[in-house]
Amino acid sequence: MSLITEYSTTARPDRRIVEVYDADAYLGDDEALQRSRTQVVAGNGYHLYLHSLQPDIEVRVTIRVWETPQKAPENAEGTVPVALESETGQLVVNQFTFGPAGMMDLPCSGVYDGHAAWSGRDATAAYYDTCLQRAGDEQWGAEQIGAAWKLCSTAEHYTLDLWFVRESEPGDDE
């Protein structure tokens, strides 16, 4: 049950979305994107969408790879099962407008099962809404709004716990 590797980065959930995908699987999937609105995290096997409730405050994305299957964390706000195939062995954490927030090298290419968990999502959204209300009431400028985003006391965090299942099969990407 040992942790093999862990990677963490921050990303702006531009359009309320952060993406995680194989370096060669950058084409989007509208159906999975739509599902993420209700499931919070959804994907098509090569591409995951993490759906935030706000578009401006950076979120933390952590990807952990384990030797064996793990139980979903009990203290998370929510969890969903995920599957992700990486034929290149490299995952990209992407922001729609701003581009890649980071890249992670997996221990090996292939198919990974796991679960996604999140925390701080609702509290960050509530803080965001409060700031927008105050910005309007108090006529904040862009700098004051940006400073307020950085002062958010709750961290919105998405964690992907993955474990290797099998090598990619020829034709899996077609």
Side-chain angles (χ1 to χ4, degrees):
M1 294 207 321
S2 296
L3 180 66
I4 297 171
T5 188
E6 181 173 338
Y7 174 79
S8 193
T9 189
T10 57
R12 183 172 170 195
D14 183 33
R15 300 182 195 151
R16 301 176 188 241
I17 295 292
V18 173
E19 304 171 281
V20 177
Y21 54 82
D22 178 69
D24 275 352
Y26 50 86
L27 293 177
D29 182 325
D30 290 338
E31 200 173 297
L33 179 60
Q34 287 290 77
R35 278 195 328 273
S36 75
R37 290 189 173 131
T38 55
Q39 291 177 208
V40 182
V41 177
N44 63 5
Y46 292 94
H47 202 125
L48 292 175
Y49 294 96
L50 317 177
H51 187 266
S52 177
L53 295 173
Q54 54 80 30
D56 291 310
I57 300 172
E58 287 190 337
V59 303
R60 176 148 300 278
V61 177
T62 300
I63 303 168
R64 300 185 295 204
V65 179
W66 299 88
E67 284 183 359
T68 59
Q70 301 293 300
K71 292 183 180 179
E74 294 178 13
N75 60 345
E77 287 176 10
T79 63
V80 294
V82 295
L84 196 57
E85 182 166 359
S86 177
E87 291 184 358
T88 66
Q90 190 171 59
L91 296 180
V92 177
V93 178
N94 193 54
Q95 311 159 107
F96 275 143
T97 303
F98 305 106
M103 297 179 86
M104 175 194 188
D105 289 323
L106 294 168
C108 61
S109 61
V111 178
Y112 290 79
D113 281 346
H115 48 75
W118 55 91
S119 61
R121 186 172 180 258
D122 293 328
T124 302
Y127 177 81
Y128 178 81
D129 292 342
T130 299
C131 286
L132 285 183
Q133 181 66 44
R134 285 190 62 200
D137 293 347
E138 300 171 20
Q139 299 179 355
W140 289 358
E143 285 183 26
Q144 202 170 358
I145 293 170
W149 297 157
K150 292 179 179 155
L151 294 174
C152 183
S153 63
T154 304
E156 184 171 352
H157 192 178
Y158 297 85
T159 302
L160 301 177
D161 284 308
L162 305 172
W163 47 89
F164 182 79
V165 178
R166 64 176 173 83
E167 292 181 11
S168 297
E169 294 179 12
D172 271 1
D173 63 343
E174 295 174 8

